[in-house]
Amino acid sequence: MTKIIVEKSPALKGTVKISGAKNSVLPIIAASLLSSGEVFIDDIPELEDVNVIIELIKYLGAECTLKDGKLRIMVDIKDVEAPYDLVKKMRASFLVMGPILAKLGHARISMPGGCAIGTRPIDLHLKGFQTLGANINIGHGYVEATAKKLIGKKVYLDFPSVGATENIMMAAVFADGVTAIENAAEEPEIVDLANFLNKMGANIKGAGTDTIRIEGVKELKGTEHTVIPDRIEAGTYMVAAAMTGGNVLIENVIIDHIKPVIAKLTECGVVITEEANGIRVKGKKNYKAVDIKTLPYPGFPTDMQAQMMAMMSCAKGTSVIIETVFENRFMHVDELKRMGANIKIEGRSAVVTGIDHLSGAEVKATDLRAGAALVLAGLVADGKTVINDVHHIDRGYVKIEDRLSKLGAIIYREE
Ligand code: UD1
């Protein structure tokens, strides 16, 4: 089994270039199923989750060629069913339901499995499809949706779910009339998906606000699109630079997208400056503990909660971290505690009292961002940290050990 070993590292120095956003590229590849023409997507990150979605759309009938980070897709959907074997690997596979339903009026997708960070239901996705006129049947571990013709309607989301907003937006592109998604998610990845769909000929307005209007069109043509940079990868390297007291230039970032992370790090005492090619993060020795509450965008991202907890584990003072997006996203706490962190969980809050030194230990990545948090903790912990279950980390970070090594970190893989 592959392990990542991290040793106490010097202050990180140099430049790191951020990859295309995982959470943008997954729905965009799924949305390519709607196109009748040739699609080119640029800045595809080399990630396990990306391989999974490509495998899935190939199964459904797409022809895909990936070369030098550019993916060419030509679609001729042959199957309306996404089987268990492909969907169980990644929850985001469920995003093919909206496009297949829109294009063929019938989709049968394996229920996404339970996930480590909470129950993560799909009720909001299904409520949206139903409101647009689809019949939904659940049985034998599959969700089946059928509709002769989807009809544009008002869909109110009880929670601004990212996945539900994307799936309903894709389902509505060919619907008769106008669909309005209210209390929609406002994440930058939603805007990127809407831009991609509009380039193909869709008529979507309001992405990035809480109401998205989609006017149905007849057909989508081919296009070229470059994916936005990954704000969570950027945030993770910002924390790495800060925790080690480093000086790192982070290239290929959209500053607006990482404002909540910049604000929190600045509050802790990190010096962050904008430069022509990106942002520079200058760290120091001791940081002030700050409170954090995760929220849908533009609030503080839940995908940065674990990494900030690693940082707060060795800050000066006590930090209260409240997770409001997922109900069970504190699995990294037990692992950080193995490294000496002083953390108490009370419901959806974690009370973190900073200590002087974490100590290297054998730990496991329980999910993607939890794994990133352990890498960060390992950079400052005394001795060696051995991280197991690193496949979680590979789902969302491109060559993490190479990129950190180039910045001076002591990190390597062991088979
Ligand atoms: C996406 C991101 C993930 C990020 C999350 C929140 C992708 C591929 N993944 O996940 O990295 O952590 O947004 O920013 O983009 N919910 C329901 N019913 C539903 C759908 C969701 O109750 O039908 C709940 C979930 O259980 C969760 C909350 O809504 O508590 C947020 O989930 P959602 O925004 O849907 O996250 P994902 O799209 O799965």
Side-chain angles (χ1 to χ4, degrees), residues 22-24 26-27 49 90-92 95 117-127 157 159-166 185 187 189 231-232 295-297 301-303 323-327 329 348 368-369 395:
K22 168 179 90 72
N23 288 352
S24 239
L26 299 176
D49 275 7
M90 181 182 69
R91 190 186 145 78
L95 290 172
I117 59 172
T119 49
R120 300 182 95 182
I122 46 164
D123 56 318
L124 298 173
H125 301 234
L126 302 185
K127 189 176 139 190
L157 297 180
F159 183 89
S161 153
V162 173
T165 303
E166 292 166 344
E187 269 68 2
E189 293 77 18
R231 63 196 165 100
I232 305 301
L295 285 167
Y297 192 83
T302 172
D303 284 351
E323 173 59 58
T324 76
V325 178
F326 289 107
E327 82 273 23
R329 201 172 198 178
R348 287 191 165 203
L368 166 55
R369 307 303 170 187
R395 286 185 40 216

Tab-separated table of all heavy atoms in Angstrom, residues 22-24 26-27 49 90-92 95 117-127 157 159-166 185 187 189 231-232 295-297 301-303 323-327 329 348 368-369 395, ligand 1:
chain	number	residue	atom	x	y	z
A	22	LYS	N	-10.805	20.829	-9.813
A	22	LYS	CA	-11.468	19.516	-9.836
A	22	LYS	C	-12.997	19.682	-9.847
A	22	LYS	O	-13.688	19.050	-10.641
A	22	LYS	CB	-11.045	18.709	-8.602
A	22	LYS	CG	-11.875	17.478	-8.367
A	22	LYS	CD	-11.433	16.694	-7.158
A	22	LYS	CE	-12.115	17.092	-5.873
A	22	LYS	NZ	-13.525	16.708	-5.739
A	23	ASN	N	-13.492	20.550	-8.980
A	23	ASN	CA	-14.951	20.654	-8.846
A	23	ASN	C	-15.609	21.399	-10.002
A	23	ASN	O	-16.829	21.487	-10.071
A	23	ASN	CB	-15.321	21.304	-7.508
A	23	ASN	CG	-15.055	20.351	-6.347
A	23	ASN	OD1	-14.750	19.176	-6.560
A	23	ASN	ND2	-15.174	20.854	-5.129
A	24	SER	N	-14.795	21.954	-10.889
A	24	SER	CA	-15.328	22.565	-12.109
A	24	SER	C	-15.293	21.553	-13.237
A	24	SER	O	-16.230	21.420	-14.017
A	24	SER	CB	-14.420	23.722	-12.506
A	24	SER	OG	-15.114	24.897	-12.558
A	26	LEU	N	-15.279	18.312	-13.236
A	26	LEU	CA	-16.170	17.140	-13.168
A	26	LEU	C	-17.549	17.463	-13.764
A	26	LEU	O	-17.996	16.756	-14.679
A	26	LEU	CB	-16.285	16.599	-11.738
A	26	LEU	CG	-14.969	16.103	-11.106
A	26	LEU	CD1	-15.193	15.681	-9.655
A	26	LEU	CD2	-14.366	14.951	-11.893
A	27	PRO	N	-18.243	18.533	-13.292
A	27	PRO	CA	-19.528	18.846	-13.939
A	27	PRO	C	-19.375	19.252	-15.402
A	27	PRO	O	-20.259	18.956	-16.218
A	27	PRO	CB	-20.095	20.000	-13.102
A	27	PRO	CG	-18.983	20.496	-12.263
A	27	PRO	CD	-18.003	19.373	-12.100
A	49	ASP	N	-10.164	11.466	-9.696
A	49	ASP	CA	-11.591	11.748	-9.913
A	49	ASP	C	-11.875	12.088	-11.378
A	49	ASP	O	-12.946	11.771	-11.901
A	49	ASP	CB	-12.054	12.929	-9.033
A	49	ASP	CG	-12.432	12.465	-7.631
A	49	ASP	OD1	-12.210	11.278	-7.312
A	49	ASP	OD2	-12.946	13.295	-6.855
A	90	MET	N	-17.137	7.508	-7.058
A	90	MET	CA	-17.146	8.955	-6.853
A	90	MET	C	-18.572	9.472	-6.894
A	90	MET	O	-19.299	9.237	-7.857
A	90	MET	CB	-16.336	9.611	-7.990
A	90	MET	CG	-16.238	11.077	-7.892
A	90	MET	SD	-15.329	11.740	-9.267
A	90	MET	CE	-16.457	11.459	-10.617
A	91	ARG	N	-18.959	10.206	-5.859
A	91	ARG	CA	-20.312	10.715	-5.758
A	91	ARG	C	-20.671	11.658	-6.925
A	91	ARG	O	-21.795	11.676	-7.407
A	91	ARG	CB	-20.411	11.457	-4.430
A	91	ARG	CG	-21.761	11.837	-4.056
A	91	ARG	CD	-21.756	12.687	-2.808
A	91	ARG	NE	-22.812	13.665	-2.896
A	91	ARG	CZ	-24.074	13.395	-2.675
A	91	ARG	NH1	-24.455	12.203	-2.324
A	91	ARG	NH2	-24.995	14.326	-2.817
A	92	ALA	N	-19.667	12.413	-7.388
A	92	ALA	CA	-19.946	13.389	-8.453
A	92	ALA	C	-20.384	12.709	-9.752
A	92	ALA	O	-20.884	13.373	-10.655
A	92	ALA	CB	-18.727	14.267	-8.691
A	95	LEU	N	-23.687	13.412	-11.394
A	95	LEU	CA	-23.907	14.600	-12.229
A	95	LEU	C	-24.227	14.263	-13.686
A	95	LEU	O	-24.566	15.154	-14.450
A	95	LEU	CB	-22.675	15.515	-12.168
A	95	LEU	CG	-22.453	16.230	-10.836
A	95	LEU	CD1	-21.115	16.949	-10.838
A	95	LEU	CD2	-23.595	17.210	-10.555
A	117	ILE	N	-18.014	11.794	4.517
A	117	ILE	CA	-18.256	13.083	5.178
A	117	ILE	C	-19.747	13.378	5.351
A	117	ILE	O	-20.200	14.492	5.233
A	117	ILE	CB	-17.518	14.253	4.498
A	117	ILE	CG1	-17.913	14.411	3.042
A	117	ILE	CG2	-16.033	14.124	4.647
A	117	ILE	CD1	-17.337	15.671	2.399
A	118	GLY	N	-20.512	12.360	5.675
A	118	GLY	CA	-21.926	12.591	5.967
A	118	GLY	C	-22.800	11.771	5.041
A	118	GLY	O	-22.298	11.099	4.151
A	119	THR	N	-24.097	11.858	5.241
A	119	THR	CA	-24.985	11.004	4.440
A	119	THR	C	-25.090	11.509	2.997
A	119	THR	O	-25.323	10.739	2.093
A	119	THR	CB	-26.386	10.960	5.059
A	119	THR	OG1	-26.780	12.302	5.329
A	119	THR	CG2	-26.400	10.165	6.341
A	120	ARG	N	-24.917	12.771	2.773
A	120	ARG	CA	-24.938	13.394	1.442
A	120	ARG	C	-26.052	12.845	0.550
A	120	ARG	O	-25.805	12.147	-0.430
A	120	ARG	CB	-23.575	13.237	0.756
A	120	ARG	CG	-22.465	13.876	1.544
A	120	ARG	CD	-21.143	13.756	0.861
A	120	ARG	NE	-20.829	14.921	0.066
A	120	ARG	CZ	-19.727	15.032	-0.661
A	120	ARG	NH1	-18.873	14.046	-0.721
A	120	ARG	NH2	-19.483	16.119	-1.345
A	121	PRO	N	-27.298	13.179	0.888
A	121	PRO	CA	-28.423	12.675	0.084
A	121	PRO	C	-28.498	13.338	-1.296
A	121	PRO	O	-27.743	14.270	-1.592
A	121	PRO	CB	-29.638	13.037	0.929
A	121	PRO	CG	-29.194	14.166	1.801
A	121	PRO	CD	-27.712	14.048	1.978
A	122	ILE	N	-29.438	12.855	-2.116
A	122	ILE	CA	-29.621	13.425	-3.458
A	122	ILE	C	-31.052	13.942	-3.624
A	122	ILE	O	-31.519	14.162	-4.735
A	122	ILE	CB	-29.307	12.379	-4.560
A	122	ILE	CG1	-29.979	11.046	-4.231
A	122	ILE	CG2	-27.825	12.225	-4.787
A	122	ILE	CD1	-30.058	10.100	-5.397
A	123	ASP	N	-31.747	14.103	-2.485
A	123	ASP	CA	-33.159	14.507	-2.551
A	123	ASP	C	-33.371	15.817	-3.314
A	123	ASP	O	-34.347	15.963	-4.054
A	123	ASP	CB	-33.755	14.597	-1.143
A	123	ASP	CG	-32.973	15.537	-0.237
A	123	ASP	OD1	-31.729	15.509	-0.282
A	123	ASP	OD2	-33.591	16.330	0.491
A	124	LEU	N	-32.446	16.764	-3.166
A	124	LEU	CA	-32.637	18.066	-3.827
A	124	LEU	C	-32.482	17.945	-5.344
A	124	LEU	O	-33.191	18.608	-6.106
A	124	LEU	CB	-31.655	19.098	-3.271
A	124	LEU	CG	-31.809	19.395	-1.776
A	124	LEU	CD1	-30.683	20.290	-1.278
A	124	LEU	CD2	-33.163	20.058	-1.500
A	125	HIS	N	-31.560	17.064	-5.780
A	125	HIS	CA	-31.401	16.826	-7.222
A	125	HIS	C	-32.748	16.289	-7.763
A	125	HIS	O	-33.266	16.771	-8.767
A	125	HIS	CB	-30.343	15.754	-7.510
A	125	HIS	CG	-28.971	16.048	-6.981
A	125	HIS	ND1	-27.863	16.030	-7.795
A	125	HIS	CD2	-28.503	16.354	-5.756
A	125	HIS	CE1	-26.775	16.298	-7.072
A	125	HIS	NE2	-27.145	16.478	-5.832
A	126	LEU	N	-33.277	15.282	-7.043
A	126	LEU	CA	-34.477	14.599	-7.535
A	126	LEU	C	-35.701	15.508	-7.492
A	126	LEU	O	-36.524	15.504	-8.407
A	126	LEU	CB	-34.731	13.316	-6.714
A	126	LEU	CG	-33.564	12.312	-6.729
A	126	LEU	CD1	-33.954	11.038	-6.001
A	126	LEU	CD2	-33.122	11.979	-8.159
A	127	LYS	N	-35.773	16.332	-6.438
A	127	LYS	CA	-36.898	17.270	-6.328
A	127	LYS	C	-36.890	18.210	-7.541
A	127	LYS	O	-37.927	18.522	-8.122
A	127	LYS	CB	-36.744	18.068	-5.018
A	127	LYS	CG	-37.924	18.916	-4.671
A	127	LYS	CD	-37.713	19.593	-3.315
A	127	LYS	CE	-38.203	21.023	-3.345
A	127	LYS	NZ	-37.811	21.788	-2.164
A	157	LEU	N	-34.464	25.445	-3.862
A	157	LEU	CA	-33.629	24.471	-3.137
A	157	LEU	C	-33.678	24.792	-1.635
A	157	LEU	O	-33.438	25.935	-1.251
A	157	LEU	CB	-32.186	24.530	-3.626
A	157	LEU	CG	-31.945	24.162	-5.098
A	157	LEU	CD1	-30.453	24.265	-5.431
A	157	LEU	CD2	-32.438	22.748	-5.385
A	159	PHE	N	-31.570	23.936	0.473
A	159	PHE	CA	-30.188	24.275	0.831
A	159	PHE	C	-29.465	24.536	-0.492
A	159	PHE	O	-29.714	23.835	-1.477
A	159	PHE	CB	-29.537	23.084	1.578
A	159	PHE	CG	-28.140	23.377	2.047
A	159	PHE	CD1	-27.912	23.948	3.289
A	159	PHE	CD2	-27.038	23.097	1.232
A	159	PHE	CE1	-26.624	24.243	3.719
A	159	PHE	CE2	-25.750	23.386	1.661
A	159	PHE	CZ	-25.544	23.963	2.911
A	160	PRO	N	-28.561	25.536	-0.544
A	160	PRO	CA	-27.893	25.820	-1.822
A	160	PRO	C	-26.852	24.755	-2.167
A	160	PRO	O	-25.647	25.006	-2.128
A	160	PRO	CB	-27.270	27.193	-1.598
A	160	PRO	CG	-27.093	27.308	-0.121
A	160	PRO	CD	-28.179	26.481	0.524
A	161	SER	N	-27.328	23.558	-2.495
A	161	SER	CA	-26.435	22.439	-2.818
A	161	SER	C	-25.733	22.687	-4.154
A	161	SER	O	-26.379	23.028	-5.156
A	161	SER	CB	-27.260	21.151	-2.888
A	161	SER	OG	-26.654	20.217	-3.754
A	162	VAL	N	-24.428	22.491	-4.151
A	162	VAL	CA	-23.633	22.690	-5.366
A	162	VAL	C	-24.062	21.670	-6.428
A	162	VAL	O	-24.406	22.009	-7.562
A	162	VAL	CB	-22.122	22.550	-5.039
A	162	VAL	CG1	-21.281	22.580	-6.308
A	162	VAL	CG2	-21.690	23.639	-4.073
A	163	GLY	N	-24.037	20.392	-6.056
A	163	GLY	CA	-24.355	19.325	-7.005
A	163	GLY	C	-25.775	19.443	-7.546
A	163	GLY	O	-26.004	19.278	-8.744
A	164	ALA	N	-26.742	19.753	-6.657
A	164	ALA	CA	-28.139	19.841	-7.109
A	164	ALA	C	-28.296	21.011	-8.073
A	164	ALA	O	-28.956	20.895	-9.117
A	164	ALA	CB	-29.074	19.983	-5.912
A	165	THR	N	-27.666	22.145	-7.758
A	165	THR	CA	-27.761	23.311	-8.655
A	165	THR	C	-27.220	22.931	-10.038
A	165	THR	O	-27.836	23.230	-11.072
A	165	THR	CB	-26.954	24.505	-8.073
A	165	THR	OG1	-27.459	24.793	-6.765
A	165	THR	CG2	-27.058	25.735	-8.948
A	166	GLU	N	-26.069	22.240	-10.062
A	166	GLU	CA	-25.452	21.879	-11.350
A	166	GLU	C	-26.315	20.884	-12.128
A	166	GLU	O	-26.548	21.042	-13.329
A	166	GLU	CB	-24.060	21.274	-11.090
A	166	GLU	CG	-23.090	22.303	-10.558
A	166	GLU	CD	-21.792	21.739	-9.968
A	166	GLU	OE1	-21.730	20.526	-9.676
A	166	GLU	OE2	-20.845	22.511	-9.794
A	185	ALA	N	-26.844	27.443	-5.402
A	185	ALA	CA	-25.463	27.601	-4.940
A	185	ALA	C	-24.792	28.675	-5.793
A	185	ALA	O	-25.122	28.833	-6.973
A	185	ALA	CB	-24.721	26.285	-5.051
A	187	GLU	N	-21.273	29.099	-5.918
A	187	GLU	CA	-19.845	28.791	-6.016
A	187	GLU	C	-19.287	29.151	-7.405
A	187	GLU	O	-19.995	29.050	-8.415
A	187	GLU	CB	-19.639	27.278	-5.784
A	187	GLU	CG	-19.384	26.858	-4.347
A	187	GLU	CD	-20.559	27.022	-3.384
A	187	GLU	OE1	-21.640	27.447	-3.825
A	187	GLU	OE2	-20.389	26.730	-2.198
A	189	GLU	N	-17.548	27.470	-9.282
A	189	GLU	CA	-17.632	26.319	-10.191
A	189	GLU	C	-18.993	26.282	-10.906
A	189	GLU	O	-19.106	25.759	-12.011
A	189	GLU	CB	-17.402	25.007	-9.406
A	189	GLU	CG	-15.979	24.860	-8.850
A	189	GLU	CD	-15.679	25.690	-7.610
A	189	GLU	OE1	-16.635	26.137	-6.941
A	189	GLU	OE2	-14.486	25.906	-7.302
A	231	ARG	N	-9.503	26.686	-6.448
A	231	ARG	CA	-9.349	27.584	-5.286
A	231	ARG	C	-8.988	26.817	-4.021
A	231	ARG	O	-8.381	27.357	-3.106
A	231	ARG	CB	-10.604	28.453	-5.098
A	231	ARG	CG	-11.851	27.664	-4.794
A	231	ARG	CD	-13.126	28.488	-4.989
A	231	ARG	NE	-14.269	27.583	-5.023
A	231	ARG	CZ	-15.073	27.353	-3.990
A	231	ARG	NH1	-14.890	27.975	-2.857
A	231	ARG	NH2	-16.086	26.509	-4.109
A	232	ILE	N	-9.362	25.539	-3.958
A	232	ILE	CA	-9.062	24.772	-2.741
A	232	ILE	C	-7.596	24.307	-2.759
A	232	ILE	O	-6.914	24.323	-1.735
A	232	ILE	CB	-10.027	23.568	-2.603
A	232	ILE	CG1	-11.490	24.046	-2.658
A	232	ILE	CG2	-9.731	22.790	-1.321
A	232	ILE	CD1	-11.892	25.068	-1.586
A	295	LEU	N	-19.430	27.816	5.420
A	295	LEU	CA	-20.720	28.231	4.860
A	295	LEU	C	-20.668	28.056	3.346
A	295	LEU	O	-19.578	28.004	2.766
A	295	LEU	CB	-20.961	29.722	5.148
A	295	LEU	CG	-21.345	30.110	6.580
A	295	LEU	CD1	-21.239	31.610	6.760
A	295	LEU	CD2	-22.755	29.634	6.914
A	296	PRO	N	-21.837	27.991	2.696
A	296	PRO	CA	-21.803	28.008	1.233
A	296	PRO	C	-21.119	29.289	0.748
A	296	PRO	O	-21.099	30.299	1.473
A	296	PRO	CB	-23.283	28.005	0.844
A	296	PRO	CG	-23.995	27.432	2.037
A	296	PRO	CD	-23.209	27.862	3.233
A	297	TYR	N	-20.580	29.266	-0.465
A	297	TYR	CA	-19.906	30.422	-1.056
A	297	TYR	C	-20.835	31.634	-1.042
A	297	TYR	O	-22.017	31.474	-1.337
A	297	TYR	CB	-19.507	30.088	-2.503
A	297	TYR	CG	-18.567	31.079	-3.131
A	297	TYR	CD1	-17.199	31.001	-2.917
A	297	TYR	CD2	-19.065	32.098	-3.936
A	297	TYR	CE1	-16.336	31.916	-3.508
A	297	TYR	CE2	-18.198	33.012	-4.523
A	297	TYR	CZ	-16.844	32.907	-4.300
A	297	TYR	OH	-15.981	33.810	-4.879
A	301	PRO	N	-15.038	28.124	2.823
A	301	PRO	CA	-15.346	26.804	2.227
A	301	PRO	C	-15.123	25.633	3.174
A	301	PRO	O	-14.078	25.562	3.836
A	301	PRO	CB	-14.379	26.717	1.036
A	301	PRO	CG	-13.326	27.730	1.278
A	301	PRO	CD	-13.884	28.776	2.193
A	302	THR	N	-16.087	24.743	3.193
A	302	THR	CA	-15.947	23.518	3.991
A	302	THR	C	-14.724	22.717	3.525
A	302	THR	O	-14.095	22.030	4.324
A	302	THR	CB	-17.228	22.657	3.909
A	302	THR	OG1	-16.985	21.406	4.542
A	302	THR	CG2	-17.691	22.407	2.487
A	303	ASP	N	-14.375	22.837	2.241
A	303	ASP	CA	-13.229	22.095	1.712
A	303	ASP	C	-11.886	22.618	2.224
A	303	ASP	O	-10.846	22.047	1.906
A	303	ASP	CB	-13.244	22.116	0.170
A	303	ASP	CG	-14.284	21.159	-0.398
A	303	ASP	OD1	-14.855	20.379	0.372
A	303	ASP	OD2	-14.513	21.200	-1.625
A	323	GLU	N	-18.674	23.583	11.627
A	323	GLU	CA	-18.928	23.030	10.287
A	323	GLU	C	-20.441	23.035	10.071
A	323	GLU	O	-21.166	22.301	10.720
A	323	GLU	CB	-18.365	21.591	10.213
A	323	GLU	CG	-18.700	20.824	8.955
A	323	GLU	CD	-18.223	21.482	7.674
A	323	GLU	OE1	-17.017	21.718	7.541
A	323	GLU	OE2	-19.086	21.762	6.808
A	324	THR	N	-20.911	23.896	9.167
A	324	THR	CA	-22.370	23.964	8.960
A	324	THR	C	-22.799	23.275	7.664
A	324	THR	O	-23.984	23.076	7.446
A	324	THR	CB	-22.894	25.423	8.929
A	324	THR	OG1	-22.561	26.010	7.660
A	324	THR	CG2	-22.334	26.274	10.049
A	325	VAL	N	-21.866	22.956	6.774
A	325	VAL	CA	-22.266	22.413	5.459
A	325	VAL	C	-22.487	20.898	5.520
A	325	VAL	O	-23.493	20.392	5.026
A	325	VAL	CB	-21.228	22.790	4.377
A	325	VAL	CG1	-21.608	22.198	3.024
A	325	VAL	CG2	-21.095	24.301	4.255
A	326	PHE	N	-21.549	20.177	6.135
A	326	PHE	CA	-21.687	18.720	6.262
A	326	PHE	C	-21.818	18.357	7.735
A	326	PHE	O	-21.190	18.987	8.586
A	326	PHE	CB	-20.480	18.002	5.649
A	326	PHE	CG	-20.459	18.093	4.154
A	326	PHE	CD1	-19.550	18.916	3.508
A	326	PHE	CD2	-21.360	17.375	3.391
A	326	PHE	CE1	-19.539	19.018	2.126
A	326	PHE	CE2	-21.352	17.476	2.005
A	326	PHE	CZ	-20.448	18.290	1.371
A	327	GLU	N	-22.598	17.318	8.000
A	327	GLU	CA	-22.846	17.003	9.418
A	327	GLU	C	-21.770	16.118	10.046
A	327	GLU	O	-21.737	15.941	11.239
A	327	GLU	CB	-24.259	16.405	9.606
A	327	GLU	CG	-24.394	14.941	9.321
A	327	GLU	CD	-24.676	14.653	7.859
A	327	GLU	OE1	-24.360	15.488	6.986
A	327	GLU	OE2	-25.200	13.573	7.593
A	329	ARG	N	-18.030	16.086	9.260
A	329	ARG	CA	-16.780	16.336	8.563
A	329	ARG	C	-15.655	16.659	9.535
A	329	ARG	O	-14.915	17.622	9.355
A	329	ARG	CB	-16.953	17.470	7.550
A	329	ARG	CG	-15.883	17.417	6.504
A	329	ARG	CD	-16.068	18.366	5.362
A	329	ARG	NE	-15.226	17.923	4.260
A	329	ARG	CZ	-15.172	18.492	3.092
A	329	ARG	NH1	-15.913	19.528	2.839
A	329	ARG	NH2	-14.377	18.027	2.153
A	348	ARG	N	-21.452	20.088	16.063
A	348	ARG	CA	-20.843	20.544	14.806
A	348	ARG	C	-19.678	21.509	15.047
A	348	ARG	O	-19.211	22.158	14.105
A	348	ARG	CB	-21.898	21.208	13.938
A	348	ARG	CG	-22.848	20.196	13.338
A	348	ARG	CD	-23.703	20.856	12.290
A	348	ARG	NE	-24.342	19.831	11.477
A	348	ARG	CZ	-24.782	20.030	10.249
A	348	ARG	NH1	-24.634	21.196	9.683
A	348	ARG	NH2	-25.357	19.061	9.570
A	368	LEU	N	-10.472	13.260	1.268
A	368	LEU	CA	-9.531	14.084	0.499
A	368	LEU	C	-8.923	15.237	1.312
A	368	LEU	O	-7.705	15.375	1.423
A	368	LEU	CB	-10.289	14.593	-0.729
A	368	LEU	CG	-9.716	15.706	-1.565
A	368	LEU	CD1	-8.321	15.382	-2.029
A	368	LEU	CD2	-10.625	15.955	-2.760
A	369	ARG	N	-9.786	16.091	1.864
A	369	ARG	CA	-9.250	17.278	2.554
A	369	ARG	C	-8.643	16.910	3.908
A	369	ARG	O	-7.735	17.594	4.389
A	369	ARG	CB	-10.331	18.353	2.712
A	369	ARG	CG	-11.029	18.714	1.398
A	369	ARG	CD	-10.089	19.193	0.311
A	369	ARG	NE	-10.791	19.281	-0.981
A	369	ARG	CZ	-10.195	19.537	-2.141
A	369	ARG	NH1	-8.884	19.720	-2.201
A	369	ARG	NH2	-10.894	19.594	-3.249
A	395	ARG	N	-7.151	11.873	-5.250
A	395	ARG	CA	-8.412	12.217	-5.918
A	395	ARG	C	-8.442	13.712	-6.240
A	395	ARG	O	-9.124	14.120	-7.190
A	395	ARG	CB	-9.592	11.912	-5.000
A	395	ARG	CG	-9.911	10.434	-4.843
A	395	ARG	CD	-11.174	10.272	-4.024
A	395	ARG	NE	-12.120	11.309	-4.428
A	395	ARG	CZ	-12.953	11.939	-3.602
A	395	ARG	NH1	-12.978	11.634	-2.335
A	395	ARG	NH2	-13.769	12.872	-4.053
B	1	UD1	C1	-19.580	19.850	-3.699
B	1	UD1	C2	-18.092	19.655	-3.864
B	1	UD1	C3	-17.445	19.350	-2.520
B	1	UD1	C4	-17.808	20.430	-1.508
B	1	UD1	C5	-19.323	20.637	-1.453
B	1	UD1	C6	-19.733	21.806	-0.581
B	1	UD1	C7	-17.951	18.780	-6.100
B	1	UD1	C8	-17.613	17.642	-7.005
B	1	UD1	N1	-17.860	18.569	-4.794
B	1	UD1	O1	-20.108	18.605	-3.232
B	1	UD1	O2	-16.041	19.313	-2.699
B	1	UD1	O3	-17.380	20.025	-0.217
B	1	UD1	O4	-19.822	20.896	-2.781
B	1	UD1	O5	-19.090	22.959	-0.979
B	1	UD1	O6	-18.221	19.871	-6.564
B	1	UD1	N2	-27.551	17.934	0.363
B	1	UD1	C9	-28.828	17.488	0.609
B	1	UD1	N3	-29.554	17.013	-0.441
B	1	UD1	C10	-29.063	16.958	-1.715
B	1	UD1	C11	-27.748	17.426	-1.949
B	1	UD1	C12	-27.012	17.920	-0.875
B	1	UD1	O7	-29.305	17.518	1.740
B	1	UD1	O8	-29.777	16.514	-2.626
B	1	UD1	C13	-26.737	18.436	1.496
B	1	UD1	C14	-25.497	17.581	1.741
B	1	UD1	O9	-25.799	16.464	2.539
B	1	UD1	C15	-24.571	18.549	2.423
B	1	UD1	C16	-24.946	19.886	1.789
B	1	UD1	O10	-26.209	19.703	1.165
B	1	UD1	O11	-24.840	18.585	3.806
B	1	UD1	C17	-23.945	20.373	0.762
B	1	UD1	O12	-23.807	19.420	-0.252
B	1	UD1	P1	-23.538	19.829	-1.772
B	1	UD1	O13	-23.395	21.312	-1.874
B	1	UD1	O14	-24.553	19.158	-2.612
B	1	UD1	O15	-22.141	19.155	-2.029
B	1	UD1	P2	-21.685	18.334	-3.290
B	1	UD1	O16	-22.237	18.955	-4.527
B	1	UD1	O17	-21.888	16.892	-3.053
